[in-house]
Amino acid sequence: MISALGFGLVIGLAVGMVGGGGAVLAVPALVYAVGLGVHEATTVSLAVVSLGATTGAVGQARRGAVCWASAGWFALAAALGSIIGTLANRALGGEVLLLVFSGVMLLAARATWTRAGSAIAKGQGCPQARAGVLVPIGLGVGALTGLVGVGGGFLVVPTLAIGLSFGMREAMATSIVIIAVVSLCGLIAHLAVGSSLDVPVTLAMGGAAMAGAYVGPALADRVSTEALARGFALLVVLVALGVVGATVAGVSV
């Protein structure tokens, strides 16, 4: 339980500071440190990340950094996509899920690192909401959320900042709102199809994640957007490589 508290705090800080990445830590922590199976870990992860992201979203909303129109289109599509991903989750084995999870993490990390110092990443403000772009991307992120139990922030942030020309801080703030909605929808879908939820672990890790997400935005203000983005990318790479190594080595999942 102590490990759940410690990882929960780190997860909340990641969500609050960089607008995502919480579930990148949550799933491996629940599998390898807490000892849950992959399918149960994906369900608990969604509950933990939804708690942390909701806390962070409230703080970002008060700061006026959220691009609400874009968040609405993205979250609506992602909520629908999470249903598809949940059904796929039930059909795949644990090792396959972890390898898919790691591959997507590495791609997102590469894109974030490459663009971290670019003029696009240093921009500011909210661009016009484009439903034709936000909806299909949201469906894909939602499907991934249901599939491997992630909030999708490690995809949402680079998508908004790089692909849709959001300012990095606006991308991070908007991402937290999207993650809160999508994680909750993914959790509901998992429970609806009969997935189990370890309540004690969820409460311990979720409470710590809420605490971390509460202080995360204030800490983020003291760090440059480029440093935040590249630190985020490095974190994702390290966790992805660790998961791949453990899965290939046959560590029980």
Side-chain angles (χ1 to χ4, degrees):
M1 196 62 68
I2 293 177
S3 61
L5 289 169
F7 279 111
L9 182 61
V10 175
I11 289 164
L13 288 171
V15 171
M17 291 186 72
V18 300
V24 169
L25 299 174
V27 174
L30 289 165
V31 172
Y32 298 113
V34 180
L36 300 184
V38 175
H39 292 88
E40 187 177 13
T42 59
T43 305
V44 174
S45 171
L46 288 169
V48 170
V49 174
S50 65
L51 289 171
T54 298
T55 302
V58 171
Q60 293 290 1
R62 289 175 177 172
R63 294 148 63 90
V66 179
C67 302
W68 289 105
S70 294
W73 281 112
F74 203 119
L76 177 62
L80 295 175
S82 68
I83 298 173
I84 300 171
T86 297
L87 296 175
N89 173 275
R90 305 283 289 183
L92 296 177
E95 291 81 4
V96 175
L97 288 173
L98 287 172
L99 291 174
V100 170
F101 178 51
S102 300
V104 175
M105 281 195 292
L106 291 172
L107 291 174
R110 181 180 183 279
T112 302
W113 179 275
T114 300
R115 300 291 185 175
S118 69
I120 293 176
K122 294 178 181 178
Q124 295 182 348
C126 295
Q128 181 179 358
R130 292 182 287 167
V133 177
L134 292 165
V135 169
I137 296 175
L139 284 170
V141 171
L144 185 67
T145 296
L147 179 63
V148 293
V150 300
F154 63 94
L155 286 176
V156 176
V157 173
T159 296
L160 296 179
I162 300 167
L164 299 176
S165 301
F166 278 61
M168 183 59 78
R169 293 196 185 277
E170 286 78 12
M172 292 174 179
T174 304
S175 173
I176 294 177
V177 174
I178 293 169
I179 292 167
V181 175
V182 175
S183 297
L184 179 59
C185 291
L187 173 62
I188 293 172
H190 272 246
L191 295 177
V193 298
S195 297
S196 61
L197 181 68
D198 189 315
V199 176
V201 171
T202 299
L203 292 177
M205 186 176 279
M210 292 174 71
Y214 181 78
V215 301
L219 295 176
D221 284 342
R222 302 180 182 182
V223 185
S224 71
T225 56
E226 181 175 349
L228 280 175
R230 288 192 166 163
F232 174 71
L234 285 174
L235 173 65
V236 172
V237 168
L238 290 174
V239 176
L241 292 178
V243 171
V244 170
T247 304
V248 172
V251 175
S252 176
V253 294

